[in-house]
Amino acid sequence: MSTQPNARSGTPTTDLRAAPVTTHAAPTAAPKARPRDWAGLAVLALALLLIAVDATVLDLAVPSITADLAPTTPQLLWIIDVYSFVLAGLLVTMGTLGDRIGRRRLLLIGAAGFALASALAAWAISPEMLIAARVLQGVAGATLMPATLGLIRSMFADARQRTLAISVWGAMAASGAAFGPLLGGWMLEHFWWGAVFLVNLPVMALLLVLAPILVPESRDPNPGRFDLVSAGLSMLALIPVVYAVKEFAAHGPSLNLLISAGVGVTAGVLFVRRQRGLAAPLIDLDLFRLPAFRAAVFTNLLSVFALAGVLFFGSQYLQLVLGKSPLQAGLLLIPGTVGSMLGALAAAWLVRYWRPATVLAGSLVTVALGAGLYWLLPTDPSGSVTPFIVGFLLIGLGEGVALTVSADMIVSTAPEARAGNAAAISETAMEMGIALGVAVLGSAVMAAFRGGLDLTHVPSAQADAARESLGGAIETARALPEPAAGELVNSAHSAFVTGIHLAATSTAVLLLLTAFVAYRAATRKPSATATAA
């Protein structure tokens, strides 16, 4: 592995042509981590686990929330994914802020804010209140996530130990997203849906007590000026575009969506231009000139894209099509959860024997195979759950490996002083994957559901409620006489599974193409311009 000076800042950037992951670096005299550092890693991993859980914990609560708060379909999608949208929009800003004011300090601020927002979400009395609470959770979570990975970068100077630490971090991030529905299912069996948020309170209290003792403070010693304009542009570039994608998939094109997308694209162009002219940018764009770095970021995004989409429509499939209880549905997700953890922990071992580019491509192919198995999902409630379990297991395994290897590649590229910034790039890709997975795949499933739903025997006054969601169609059927009720239920099941088939096929094709492109990019020599940057 070689380094080249950054022409703008003088900071070395890493040439990833031969060995983009730290496990391949030549041995150095870097100090080994102390037992206190490993204990601190456990504290950080606990915080990350909780943040990842909250991205998907509501998936199994969708029927309960629908029955209690009666949200519209757009409101329901916002309840699920606005948390990830806000997280993704603020991660870059918060990662850079942590580099400046101290990553541990930002971690503690975020923990207190996350606990408060969780309490508000637990006792929400309307869809609007729940959406607002999820927004606040996203703001607080955005302070926590870059701090965890940035602190790991500074706590573990030894390259091999850092890769192991990031594997633990990856296991928490990967398994947390998959563990969310299981926790949600258990909570829903014993409490009301708002209780899924209350588990956050004792964990955040523990973090506030232990982090000052076990986690050392770290920051950029020469951070430069914090640019508020860039921070605003980064959010303005992200949220309108994602909103436009979600609403287009759900309702088709409109002038408002075109304007929203135009605002986001314009803000993104202005953001990039501004970063190139700043001495201390929010994002070091020179890193993106490295093909392997770009491949790692894109792999990070796409691996969790599939996982989040499956959790969103999969939880409804298990409960509303197959008739499983929330706890039963959560238990059926355990193999995928375990697969995510094993994949993340195995990543450090895999890159010792195969090139990281090969590992990344293989992980995406594995996720694609898992998505492809969803073509076998039955519409009959008595049908086998094996295709779902095996498909989700493969998705979990591939996502765990991809998330860990790509995060290690991203963070190891940046100098320690910019650890928070590099961590923010990694986590922005991850959160964008979660948000887009729910928005794009969830909306695609619902579009196919509405298009295939047979409302011939449903009174016009009840047709709109049936079209809103699968849960709405099931509730509508309960008020209808036979055989109209049975026909509506069968039609709803068939239309929903057809939507899953469409989403699964699209996801598998996209992942296979990404695997090919990522492998080519990660193994291609950087251009002369990139090498000199």
Side-chain angles (χ1 to χ4, degrees), residues 9-390:
S9 62
T11 302
T13 59
T14 307
D15 183 347
L16 302 177
R17 286 174 290 181
V21 176
T22 54
T23 52
H24 289 246
T28 66
K32 298 290 185 179
R34 301 164 298 170
R36 177 180 173 183
D37 294 321
W38 291 105
L41 173 64
V43 174
L44 298 178
L46 183 64
L48 180 65
L49 176 67
L50 200 61
I51 298 166
V53 162
D54 267 71
T56 58
V57 72
L58 285 186
D59 285 340
L60 284 178
V62 167
S64 299
I65 293 173
T66 300
D68 188 20
L69 300 182
T72 64
T73 295
Q75 285 177 328
L76 185 59
L77 286 173
W78 278 116
I79 288 170
I80 298 299
D81 61 27
V82 73
Y83 171 78
S84 295
F85 286 170
V86 174
L87 260 178
L90 283 174
L91 280 170
V92 171
T93 298
M94 293 302 181
T96 304
L97 183 62
D99 288 341
R100 285 161 168 76
I101 71 171
R103 297 168 193 127
R104 187 181 69 182
R105 177 182 296 178
L106 193 65
L107 181 79
L108 297 176
I109 293 172
F114 200 82
L116 176 61
S118 297
L120 292 174
W123 283 289
I125 59 175
S126 68
E128 293 81 6
M129 182 176 176
L130 183 53
I131 291 171
R134 293 285 280 171
V135 168
L136 294 177
Q137 277 191 311
V139 173
T143 68
L144 290 166
M145 291 194 71
T148 59
L149 193 52
L151 286 165
I152 289 173
R153 173 68 175 83
S154 62
M155 290 163 62
F156 295 89
D158 179 76
R160 191 174 292 274
Q161 287 188 327
R162 184 167 64 246
T163 297
L164 178 58
I166 291 178
S167 293
V168 174
W169 177 92
M172 294 300 101
S175 62
F179 181 69
L182 176 60
L183 175 63
W186 184 86
M187 298 291 287
L188 289 168
E189 286 285 319
H190 297 84
F191 308 101
W192 92 111
W193 62 264
V196 298
F197 295 107
L198 296 183
V199 70
N200 298 339
L201 303 184
V203 175
M204 287 302 160
L206 188 65
L207 178 63
L208 288 169
V209 172
L210 294 181
I213 300 172
L214 298 175
V215 178
E217 183 61 282
S218 69
R219 58 170 58 88
D220 185 347
N222 301 296
R225 184 175 65 88
F226 184 77
D227 185 39
L228 288 175
V229 175
S230 292
L233 286 173
S234 68
M235 286 199 67
L236 195 59
L238 180 69
I239 294 179
V241 171
V242 176
Y243 170 78
V245 170
K246 179 179 73 69
E247 291 298 306
F248 175 81
H251 304 294
S254 70
L255 179 60
N256 288 338
L257 296 187
L258 182 61
I259 294 173
S260 177
V263 169
V265 171
T266 301
V269 172
L270 293 175
F271 175 79
V272 170
R273 292 183 62 182
R274 187 172 183 84
Q275 300 317 293
R276 295 193 181 281
L278 292 175
L282 281 184
I283 292 181
D284 184 0
L285 297 178
D286 287 342
L287 293 174
F288 286 92
R289 296 182 181 180
L290 295 169
F293 184 87
R294 294 196 302 270
V297 172
F298 200 44
T299 300
N300 196 316
L301 187 152
L302 264 297
S303 62
V304 293
F305 175 90
L307 178 70
V310 168
L311 289 175
F312 177 72
F313 62 69
S315 62
Q316 297 180 71
Y317 171 78
L318 292 173
Q319 292 181 80
L320 299 177
V321 176
L322 298 188
K324 306 298 181 183
S325 69
L327 181 57
Q328 288 174 327
L331 291 173
L332 290 173
L333 296 173
I334 286 180
T337 304
V338 174
S340 295
M341 297 180 66
L342 293 178
L345 293 174
W349 176 80
L350 290 172
V351 296
R352 295 181 186 178
Y353 297 96
W354 289 282
R355 299 177 66 181
T358 302
V359 175
L360 283 180
S363 66
L364 288 177
V365 171
T366 302
V367 177
L369 291 175
L373 283 179
Y374 283 1
W375 258 101
L376 303 177
L377 295 183
T379 59
D380 187 347
S382 62
S384 172
V385 297
T386 300
F388 184 91
I389 294 173
V390 176

